[in-house]
Amino acid sequence: MAFIPSPIIYNILSKLPVKSLARFKSLNKLYCSFIKDPHFINAHFKNHSVVHGDLCLILSCIEHQNLNNTSKIHFFTIKDNEHAMIEYSIPVSFDTYHILPSCNGLICFYGLHGSVHVCNPTTKTIVNLPNIDDDLQRFQSCGFGFDGINGTYKVIKFFDPHKIEIFTMVNGSWNKIWYTYSPCFGFQHHQPPVFANGVFYWFSISSSIVSFDIGKETFETISLPQSALNKDKYKLYLVELKGELCMVDMDFEDKKRVDIWIFKSNGGLWVKLGTIVHRSEPIDTTRPVGIKANKKEILLHGFIKGLGHLSCYNMETGGFRPINIKGFTLDYFHVSQHVETLFQVGD
């Protein structure tokens, strides 16, 4: 076999999908050292998040097994061929779980009774956050994001009254710190905060939006768009689309229209991204979960023509295109855009 210089091998490996690299680790020590190297993992992620970021979705669903008081969480991926492939199934304790959107290929989910987990469905690794005595106090909500300033993942847990707990992943372990915050930053409802570009966002009890920068660990308040100031706050919600904070306005009487606003953090301004209109069916329970690479179509998850319906809305033509998922029949599931990563969260 001809000699291949190490830089060429490195370059070839960086262009391969995660599942192929997982197999190649066993070929020889050189391949294994490359694939496990943190710099290679980061370079591989950046390359594939750009090249393969068009439409890769992660679907998650919960299967309760009442006979033995256990549950399973299943993760499926959907690529452009719209065929669902099972990635990972995790046995968990019997509980009601909330599954957060994928962040750099990792997913955090937590139970109402306090357990918090972070997993990589592609590498099939998982870590359970340590339970500390203080965790016995029921927390209101939980968020998960990547701190680009310090190059680490963080989990934030919100407690009442006015206290947050931050777990930072350092060398595979989780360090904990406590913060207190002003009462006006409290949650208006117990939905998870939205994570976008290094910042958590949520609606506060003072009818504004609160942000928490996980790198600087500072709070700020953000005003709503002028058109939303007098609207029912329970018909407004926040989402992350293509790394940006967006606000969805469902407060229209006919329930067939949804306005989407995008927050430009560099200027502190809200700009209308677009309006979704359906001519015949209510779409007030339909939520945008992603934008396709062409920036013309918004991926919607909601209740148009069925509980588990996924569709794309073309902002130029105003037309809906259904996504017919093959190999997946469940009605209730969570969905978010996803990029595969080699990052290991556990053994």
Side-chain angles (χ1 to χ4, degrees), residues 46-73:
K46 290 178 181 178
N47 177 51
H48 282 252
S49 63
V50 173
V51 176
H52 303 291
D54 186 25
L55 183 60
C56 180
L57 305 177
I58 187 87
L59 271 64
S60 49
C61 58
I62 303 170
E63 177 191 4
H64 293 300
Q65 299 170 324
N66 295 326
L67 292 179
N68 53 7
N69 267 357
T70 60
S71 302
K72 273 192 175 182
I73 295 181

Side-chain angles (χ1 to χ4, degrees), residues 193-316:
V194 170
F195 180 76
N197 197 26
V199 180
F200 287 114
Y201 299 90
W202 65 92
F203 282 111
S204 72
I205 57 176
S206 60
S207 298
S208 61
I209 296 172
V210 173
S211 69
F212 180 74
D213 188 307
I214 64 171
K216 301 174 182 177
E217 296 184 348
T218 55
F219 290 91
E220 291 186 9
T221 57
I222 300 170
S223 299
L224 299 176
Q226 190 69 29
S227 65
L229 288 178
N230 298 318
K231 294 207 170 182
D232 184 348
K233 299 304 184 292
Y234 287 94
K235 293 183 181 178
L236 305 175
Y237 63 90
L238 304 175
V239 296
E240 175 269 327
L241 297 175
K242 282 288 183 181
E244 302 284 352
L245 173 69
C246 292
M247 190 192 75
V248 181
D249 180 0
M250 303 180 296
D251 191 17
F252 296 96
E253 291 184 1
D254 62 3
K255 298 184 179 181
K256 297 176 184 177
R257 170 182 168 181
V258 170
D259 285 346
I260 303 176
W261 296 80
I262 186 168
F263 182 67
K264 299 297 183 180
S265 56
N266 56 349
L269 298 175
W270 289 96
V271 178
K272 184 177 282 190
L273 178 65
T275 299
I276 301 173
V277 179
H278 201 287
R279 296 176 182 174
S280 60
E281 297 190 45
I283 55 174
D284 59 314
T285 53
T286 299
R287 300 201 170 198
V289 294
I291 301 178
K292 293 205 69 177
N294 58 20
K295 296 185 179 180
K296 297 178 182 178
E297 287 188 314
I298 297 180
L299 178 69
L300 302 174
H301 176 216
F303 298 85
I304 303 173
K305 296 181 180 178
L307 294 174
H309 188 72
L310 282 175
S311 61
C312 282
Y313 179 79
N314 190 303
M315 290 186 286
E316 291 186 348

Side-chain angles (χ1 to χ4, degrees), residues 72-330:
K72 273 192 175 182
I73 295 181
H74 305 287
F75 293 98
F76 296 78
T77 52
I78 300 178
K79 301 288 179 67
D80 287 318
N81 61 9
E82 299 179 3
H83 186 86
M85 301 290 294
I86 184 70
E87 290 287 338
Y88 191 27
S89 293
I90 306 167
V92 291
S93 60
F94 191 80
D95 200 348
T96 300
Y97 287 91
H98 199 114
I99 302 171
L100 300 177
S102 174
C103 176
N104 291 356
L106 304 185
I107 296 178
C108 176
F109 59 95
Y110 62 95
L112 292 184
H113 292 90
S115 60
V116 181
H117 315 266
V118 179
C119 78
N120 183 337
T122 307
T123 62
K124 298 177 176 55
T125 55
I126 187 169
V127 63
N128 306 325
L129 262 64
N131 280 324
I132 303 173
D133 290 342
D134 292 326
D135 289 347
L136 298 177
Q137 177 186 355
R138 186 167 178 172
F139 59 90
Q140 296 186 66
S141 187
C142 184
F144 176 66
F146 181 72
D147 174 2
I149 295 177
N150 300 297
T152 185
Y153 290 90
K154 290 185 177 180
V155 172
I156 182 171
K157 297 166 73 174
F158 293 81
F159 292 82
D160 204 12
H162 322 308
K163 183 171 62 175
I164 63 174
E165 182 182 73
I166 301 174
F167 281 90
T168 302
M169 183 188 291
V170 179
N171 297 325
S173 63
W174 292 85
N175 299 329
K176 188 188 85 164
I177 60 174
W178 285 100
Y179 275 87
T180 57
Y181 59 90
S182 169
C184 67
F185 293 164
F187 278 79
Q188 188 181 68
H189 45 73
H190 290 193
Q191 292 301 309
V194 170
F195 180 76
N197 197 26
V199 180
F200 287 114
Y201 299 90
W202 65 92
F203 282 111
S204 72
I205 57 176
S206 60
S207 298
S208 61
I209 296 172
V210 173
S211 69
F212 180 74
D213 188 307
I214 64 171
K216 301 174 182 177
E217 296 184 348
T218 55
F219 290 91
E220 291 186 9
T221 57
I222 300 170
S223 299
L224 299 176
Q226 190 69 29
S227 65
L229 288 178
N230 298 318
K231 294 207 170 182
D232 184 348
K233 299 304 184 292
Y234 287 94
K235 293 183 181 178
L236 305 175
Y237 63 90
L238 304 175
V239 296
E240 175 269 327
L241 297 175
K242 282 288 183 181
E244 302 284 352
L245 173 69
C246 292
M247 190 192 75
V248 181
D249 180 0
M250 303 180 296
D251 191 17
F252 296 96
E253 291 184 1
D254 62 3
K255 298 184 179 181
K256 297 176 184 177
R257 170 182 168 181
V258 170
D259 285 346
I260 303 176
W261 296 80
I262 186 168
F263 182 67
K264 299 297 183 180
S265 56
N266 56 349
L269 298 175
W270 289 96
V271 178
K272 184 177 282 190
L273 178 65
T275 299
I276 301 173
V277 179
H278 201 287
R279 296 176 182 174
S280 60
E281 297 190 45
I283 55 174
D284 59 314
T285 53
T286 299
R287 300 201 170 198
V289 294
I291 301 178
K292 293 205 69 177
N294 58 20
K295 296 185 179 180
K296 297 178 182 178
E297 287 188 314
I298 297 180
L299 178 69
L300 302 174
H301 176 216
F303 298 85
I304 303 173
K305 296 181 180 178
L307 294 174
H309 188 72
L310 282 175
S311 61
C312 282
Y313 179 79
N314 190 303
M315 290 186 286
E316 291 186 348
T317 66
F320 289 84
R321 177 175 63 85
I323 296 179
N324 300 312
I325 306 173
K326 303 176 182 66
F328 188 87
T329 59
L330 297 176

